[in-house]
Amino acid sequence: MIPNLNTSAAAVSAPGTPGLPLHRPRRLRRTPALRRLTAETQVSANNLIMPLFLREGISEPKEIPSMPGVFQHTRDTLRKAAAEAVAAGVGGLMLFGIPQHKDPTGSGALDPQGVLQTGLRDVIAEVGDSTVVIGDINLDEYTDHGHTGVLGADGDVDNDASIRLYADAAVVQADAGAHIVAPSGMMDGQVAHIRAALDAAGHQTVAILGYSAKYASHFYGPFRDAVESSLRGNRKTYQQFPGNIRESLREVDLDLAEGADMVMVKPALPYLDILRMVADHVDVPIAAYQVSGEYSMIEAAAARGWIDRDESVVEALTSIHRAGASMIISYWATEFAPRLAL
C-alpha cells in the first residue's frame, strides 16, 4: 500500500514497524560523498571573484589592519596574487586602485597611466584571458573629499558631471584591457553614459556589471580603510536606504534598460532577501558583493574562537549562492576556491 504523502512524513511508519519512520531524509546526509551528490546548491570556484588592491608608493605589500589576510599590493605582488587566484580556479578578479595623490575631481581615475589602469595592464599581461578581469569605476579612491563623484555648489555629488567622468574612466580601463567595467557610484544614468562611451571608442565587447542595488551600508567600513578613503560625511543621498525593497527592482530595471549586462546586490548577507527578489525578477547574471564588514566579522569571531572559521566561510558563500548570486565577490575567493566541497 502506497502511503499518503500528503500526511506528515513523521507520521508515516514503515510497514510492520509501527512508530518508526518510513521517510528518512538523513539517509542522504550520511557521508560527505552523499552530501555532495545530492547538494541542491554548491558553490564552485567559478562562482568566485577575488578583489585585489594596488597601491602606489609602497615597496612591499601592506596588510589592512581591519581585514587580516587582505593586502594592498605593489605591482609585483599584484601580478603574483592574480596568478595565484587563477591557479586556484577563481572565476574573476576585480581591481581597485589606491593613488598617492587625490584631488576634487578624482582625475587619477581618468589618467591612462593611473594606478588602476597600470594594474589592469599588469594583470592582463600576467593572466591574459585565463580569467575575467574587472575594473571598478568610481571616483571615491581618487577624490580628496572621498565621495564617488565631483561635488556641486550645494556640497552634494553632482550627478550629471560625475557620470561624464565615469564614461571617460570606463574607456581608459577598457583601453588597459578590462574585460568588464563595474560602475559603483550609484549615479542616475551612469550605465547609459558608460555604454555609449565604450561603444564610441570601439569597445563594444567590454561588458558592464551594474552595481544596481547598492545600499548605504555600515558594513563598508573596513573597505574604506583598504582604499584609504578621505570620505567626509556619508553617501546616503545616492546609495539606497536600507529599508527600501521595491527601489532595488527599479534600479535594476533602469540599469538593464541602459545596457548593463549583469547586475549586483551589495552588501550580500544582510540583503539576501533583495538578492532573491532580484534573481526572481531578471534573466541576466547576478553578482553579490560579500563586503569587507562581512569578511571582518567572521575573521574577528573566528580569531576569538567563537565560530569555526572555515565552515562559517563556506556556509556564508553557500547562502549567497543559494539566494540567487551566480557570481560572488569575496575576499576569501583565492583561499577557498580549491576546497569548496561539502
Side-chain angles (χ1 to χ4, degrees):
M1 179 178 178
I2 299 174
N4 178 8
L5 296 183
N6 290 323
T7 304
S8 168
V12 178
S13 299
T17 55
L20 296 180
L22 172 62
H23 299 284
R24 295 181 182 268
R26 287 181 57 190
R27 294 185 186 111
L28 304 184
R29 307 173 193 149
R30 188 168 56 87
T31 67
L34 276 167
R35 294 194 293 271
R36 285 194 298 270
L37 182 67
T38 59
E40 298 174 42
T41 301
Q42 189 170 1
V43 188
S44 76
N46 289 331
N47 301 123
L48 302 181
I49 297 170
M50 181 69 190
L52 295 170
F53 301 99
L54 174 62
R55 180 183 170 187
E56 285 183 324
I58 58 174
S59 57
E60 58 185 23
K62 179 183 176 183
E63 188 172 28
I64 300 158
S66 58
M67 300 177 69
V70 180
F71 293 84
Q72 296 173 334
H73 285 286
T74 69
R75 289 180 65 181
D76 288 341
T77 63
L78 177 71
R79 292 176 69 130
K80 181 180 179 183
E84 289 174 349
V86 171
V90 300
L93 306 172
M94 178 173 277
L95 270 59
F96 299 89
I98 307 163
Q100 281 186 286
H101 304 291
K102 303 180 182 184
D103 59 40
T105 61
S107 61
L110 285 63
D111 181 357
Q113 304 306 315
V115 58
L116 179 54
Q117 287 68 254
T118 298
L120 287 167
R121 285 191 294 271
D122 285 347
V123 167
I124 291 293
E126 184 71 30
V127 303
D129 292 332
S130 59
T131 194
V132 177
V133 180
I134 306 168
D136 174 69
I137 297 178
N138 205 325
L139 303 185
D140 59 351
E141 297 99 322
Y142 305 91
T143 55
D144 55 12
H145 48 73
H147 282 281
T148 65
V150 294
L151 300 183
D154 60 356
D156 197 3
V157 175
D158 184 325
N159 190 96
D160 296 356
S162 297
I163 61 177
R164 288 192 286 270
L165 299 181
Y166 292 177
D168 293 341
V171 172
V172 296
Q173 288 186 18
D175 289 343
H179 302 119
I180 298 173
V181 294
S184 58
M186 285 298 286
M187 295 294 112
D188 296 336
Q190 61 185 17
V191 171
H193 248 65
I194 289 168
R195 183 73 270 160
L198 288 172
D199 291 352
H203 291 300
Q204 293 90 346
T205 59
V206 173
I208 298 174
L209 168 58
Y211 277 67
S212 303
K214 181 179 179 181
Y215 284 84
S217 172
H218 288 278
F219 287 91
Y220 302 147
F223 178 89
R224 291 172 184 165
D225 292 341
V227 298
E228 301 185 3
S229 173
S230 303
L231 180 64
R232 299 191 294 267
N234 59 61
R235 296 174 176 154
K236 294 181 179 181
T237 67
Y238 45 98
Q239 294 176 351
Q240 283 186 241
F241 177 64
N244 287 6
I245 298 174
R246 293 189 300 272
E247 184 182 33
S248 291
L249 293 185
R250 185 182 186 199
E251 292 279 10
V252 165
D253 287 342
L254 287 169
D255 278 2
L256 291 175
E258 292 175 16
D261 301 282
M262 299 161 280
V263 296
M264 185 195 297
V265 174
K266 180 181 179 181
L269 287 177
Y271 294 90
L272 293 180
D273 58 329
I274 305 301
L275 179 56
R276 180 71 263 163
M277 181 181 66
V278 171
D280 290 339
H281 183 69
V282 304
D283 58 0
V284 298
I286 301 168
Y289 201 137
Q290 188 180 44
V291 300
S292 58
E294 299 173 54
Y295 174 90
S296 296
M297 285 193 304
I298 290 178
E299 289 288 347
R304 287 160 176 77
W306 296 340
I307 61 174
D308 183 301
R309 175 184 181 271
D310 290 5
E311 294 291 348
S312 297
V313 171
V314 174
E315 184 177 348
L317 291 169
T318 301
S319 72
I320 297 166
H321 189 40
R322 186 185 66 235
S326 50
M327 300 171 285
I328 305 171
I329 303 162
S330 173
Y331 299 99
W332 287 298
T334 298
E335 179 185 354
F336 278 83
R339 44 182 171 142
L340 282 173
L342 294 179

